[in-house]
Each structure stands twice: as C-alpha cells, then as structure tokens.
C-alpha cells in the first residue's frame, strides 16, 4: 500500500477511535453540566486534569483532604486530552488546567489571559513502534507520528524531524487523547508517538524504542495554567493561595513516600496496572513556582506553519 493510501486509512481509524474516546469522556467527568456553574463560584476552583503523572499532586491532595485542610474548595474535572481543557478554559468552565507552555502561549496570543503559578516537571518521549524498524530519527520518513496540534508534542515532533531531516515526508497525525495515542502504538496502528508519563513507561514496557527525550533538549514546558479573570477576585486569590499550599504539601508527601505509597490513587486516576506502576521512574515533584522565562520565551517564539 502506498504511503498516502496508508495515511488515509489510518486517519479514518484515528477518527473512529477519537469518536469513541469523546463519547466515553462525556460519561466520565469530562464536559458535563456538573461543572458549569462552579467556575463562576467565587470560592470554588475548578481544575482540568488528565490521567498523567503531572496531575498526581492534585489527586493526592484531593484524596488526603488537603484542600479542605487549607480551606479551599477545589473541583477536579477529568479529561482525556489537553484540547478539551483548552476549550473549557476558553468557555470559562474551568479556572485552571494542566497544560504546556506551547499551547498556553498560543491561547494567550489569541486573547485568553493566563498565568502560570505552577511549573510541572512534565517531559515527553518520542517513541517508535518496535515493528516499524525505526532506530534513528532520520528513518521517520514515510512514517506516521501522533501529536496534538499546536502543543508541546507538535513542537517537539517538529524539533525531532527538523534535526534529522528525513528524505521523505513524515505524516503528522493529530491524536489528542493521551491514552488513544498509546493504544495506537500498542496495536501497531501508529509508527511513532510523543508521550508523557505514565503512558511513556507503558510503551517502554512493550519494548518500543525511545528516539528522543525532551529533557535532553533543555526545555521545560509543563505548567498548570489559570485564567487571570478567574483568579482575579479577592475570594479566588485566597482560594488559589490555599490550593498552592495543598499542592506543595502533596508534593512533599509524594517525594517522601514515593508514588508506590499512593498506588491505589495513581492506578485509578492514571488508568495503569501494577506492571506500569513499579516500572515508573523516580520523579521529584517541585513546589509550585512559575516557569523559567527562557521556557516561556521558547514557547512564544514557536512559529506555526498554518
């Protein structure tokens, strides 16, 4: 089958998978009427989260009632894709959400006022399907790579491709759902993907090779973005301060006891089993602090080929 024909076939496959994922998300705490009024509440902070390790401090703080201890009402809204969080920020149905600087700075350029009180240690791995026989970045020509448009994965994918300069075109396929992206690698429906944790570890367990690690590029793009308008009132500012204290306390607890101490929470919220849990790298969670200016500038300077 010619690359173009194969590309079209997989696009149809992707669309079907995403349709199923979206329908599932609507029944599992994604976009729902429950959160419609809370973003306007002057006390409650609604936060969009994903089944990824950068969200674990929020899950731990919620489970241990740390938000209550710091007298802040936090409502976690669970999604499967950053794009869903973006849309709910735009629609003012979320006060804050897990994000990355590339997508957040693009939202700011479109007039959405955001601030970043939390910089996460999120990193992404470019992982290839073990059956694709891709051992170097330059071998990505005529292959398909799953990314999310206008995001850290898009930026990092372009960085990898531009550095290697494959002779043939690399087909960038938009797959927003973080778990669908992993599943497409595991089922041999995709040649390469960009994943963060714990999906990256799940892929490595399957002996899929890692070709690039964003940490080697010297960029740190993970953040929790808040709408300035949402946290601008006196009540919300106070709530945000309480949230940050609870977040820091959760980070300290995770660092002291390890992710395995919170196995039930991590497995439930990140949808992983014991084999992935025990294989996770040791991650140090830093206290809430804004991202470095150089990382913000990196995101600002990204030029998109629309």
């Amino acid at each position: 089958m010619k690359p173009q024909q194969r590309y079209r076939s997989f696009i149809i496959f992707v669309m079907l998978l995403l349709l199923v994922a979206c329908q599932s998300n609507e029944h599992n705490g994604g976009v729902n009427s429950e959160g419609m009024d809370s973003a306007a509440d002057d006390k409650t902070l609604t936060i969009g989260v994903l089944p990824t390790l950068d969200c674990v401090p929020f899950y731990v703080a919620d489970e241990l009632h740390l938000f209550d201890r710091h007298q802040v009402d936090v409502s976690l809204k669970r999604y499967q894709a950053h794009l869903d969080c973006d849309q709910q920020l735009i629609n003012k149905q979320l006060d804050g959400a897990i994000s990355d600087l590339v997508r957040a700075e693009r939202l700011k350029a479109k007039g959405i006022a955001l601030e970043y009180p939390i910089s996460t240690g999120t990193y992404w791995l470019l992982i290839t399907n073990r059956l694709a026989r891709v051992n170097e970045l330059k071998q990505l020509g005529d292959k398909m790579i799953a990314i999310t448009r206008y995001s850290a994965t898009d930026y990092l994918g372009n960085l990898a491709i531009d550095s290697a300069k494959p002779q043939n075109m690399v087909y960038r396929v938009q797959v927003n759902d973080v778990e669908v992206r992993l599943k497409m690698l595991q089922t041999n429906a995709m040649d390469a993907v960009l994943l963060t944790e714990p999906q990256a570890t799940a892929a490595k367990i399957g002996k899929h090779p890692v070709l690039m690690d964003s940490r080697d590029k010297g960029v740190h793009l993970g953040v929790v973005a808040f709408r300035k308008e949402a946290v601008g009132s006196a009540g919300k500012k106070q709530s945000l301060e309480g949230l940050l204290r609870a977040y820091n306390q959760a980070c300290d607890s995770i660092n002291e006891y390890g992710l395995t101490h919170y196995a039930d929470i991590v497995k439930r919220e990140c949808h992983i089993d014991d084999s992935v849990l025990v294989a996770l790298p040791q991650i140090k969670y830093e206290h809430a602090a804004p991202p470095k200016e150089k990382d913000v500038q990196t995101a600002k300077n990204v030029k998109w080929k629309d």
Side-chain angles (χ1 to χ4, degrees):
M1 183 182 292
K2 294 181 179 179
Q4 292 86 349
Q5 294 173 319
R6 184 166 172 262
Y7 177 67
R8 285 194 293 269
S9 297
F10 281 117
I11 287 295
I12 295 172
F13 179 71
V14 171
M15 292 175 67
L16 290 173
L17 279 177
L18 291 179
L19 177 61
V20 172
C22 289
Q23 291 173 337
S24 174
N25 192 39
E26 289 178 356
H27 295 286
N28 289 281
V31 181
N32 58 63
S33 59
E34 179 185 351
M36 290 304 180
D37 294 327
S38 58
D41 190 311
D42 197 45
K43 296 180 180 179
T44 301
L45 286 173
T46 58
I47 311 297
V49 289
L50 300 179
T52 51
L53 289 193
D54 48 7
C55 294
V56 168
F58 287 106
Y59 296 132
V60 169
D62 193 43
E63 188 83 6
L64 299 184
H65 304 288
L66 299 181
F67 296 128
D68 295 335
R69 189 176 304 174
H70 291 281
Q71 299 180 324
V72 54
D73 186 8
V74 174
S75 177
L76 300 180
K77 300 300 177 183
R78 292 157 175 82
Y79 299 89
Q80 287 294 116
H82 285 106
L83 191 65
D84 294 329
C85 291
D86 289 353
Q87 192 57 52
Q88 293 308 299
L89 282 173
I90 293 170
N91 293 343
K92 301 183 180 181
Q93 303 306 321
L94 289 176
D95 295 315
I98 198 73
S99 189
D100 67 67
L101 284 171
V102 176
R103 65 189 317 113
E105 283 298 311
R106 188 168 186 271
L107 287 179
K108 286 175 67 174
K110 289 180 171 292
I112 309 299
L114 300 173
E115 59 183 57
Y116 316 123
I118 301 175
S119 174
T120 68
T122 313
Y123 60 87
W124 289 264
L125 303 182
L126 196 164
I127 303 176
T128 62
N129 190 298
R130 59 188 177 86
L131 300 182
R133 298 179 181 178
V134 175
N135 299 310
E136 299 178 75
L137 291 174
K138 65 182 181 181
Q139 295 175 318
L140 285 172
D142 278 338
K143 303 296 184 181
M144 295 186 300
I145 179 172
I147 51 89
T148 296
R149 197 83 167 95
Y150 308 123
S151 73
T153 59
D154 199 359
Y155 165 73
L156 293 167
N158 289 340
L159 205 64
I161 294 166
D162 292 344
S163 68
K165 295 181 171 59
Q167 290 186 347
N168 299 318
M169 179 183 292
V170 180
Y171 297 94
R172 298 166 177 83
V173 182
Q174 177 152 324
V175 183
N176 298 319
D177 187 307
V178 295
E179 293 182 320
V180 170
R181 203 180 303 160
L182 170 63
K183 183 63 66 176
M184 294 186 74
L185 182 77
Q186 294 172 325
T187 58
N188 307 318
M190 190 62 59
D191 298 310
V193 296
L194 275 144
L195 297 171
T196 187
E197 298 291 2
Q199 291 77 28
T201 291
K204 288 191 291 184
I205 287 176
K207 301 188 184 305
H208 298 288
V210 176
L211 293 193
M212 189 184 79
D213 187 326
S214 68
R215 291 171 293 186
D216 297 332
K217 300 299 179 182
V219 291
H220 305 280
L221 301 173
V223 293
V224 183
F226 285 80
R227 291 189 299 112
K228 285 188 177 182
E229 177 187 13
V231 293
S233 68
K236 282 291 181 73
K237 283 181 179 179
Q238 187 174 359
S239 293
L240 179 58
E241 291 172 1
L243 178 146
L244 297 181
R245 288 194 295 269
Y247 178 91
N248 290 343
Q249 193 172 348
C251 288
D252 289 341
S253 185
I254 298 167
N255 291 337
E256 181 177 358
Y257 297 110
L259 285 170
T260 54
H261 180 78
Y262 295 108
D264 290 344
I265 299 173
V266 177
K267 288 193 295 182
R268 182 185 70 237
E269 299 293 352
C270 295
H271 312 153
I272 60 174
D273 58 21
D274 286 322
S275 67
V276 177
L277 178 72
V278 299
L280 289 173
Q282 186 174 0
I283 294 176
K284 182 180 179 182
Y285 287 90
E286 302 289 346
H287 279 196
K292 294 181 179 179
E293 185 57 31
K294 71 178 184 66
D295 293 319
V296 176
Q297 287 301 320
T298 294
K300 281 183 178 180
N301 293 337
V302 174
K303 304 298 182 185
W304 297 111
K305 301 174 182 177
D306 292 319

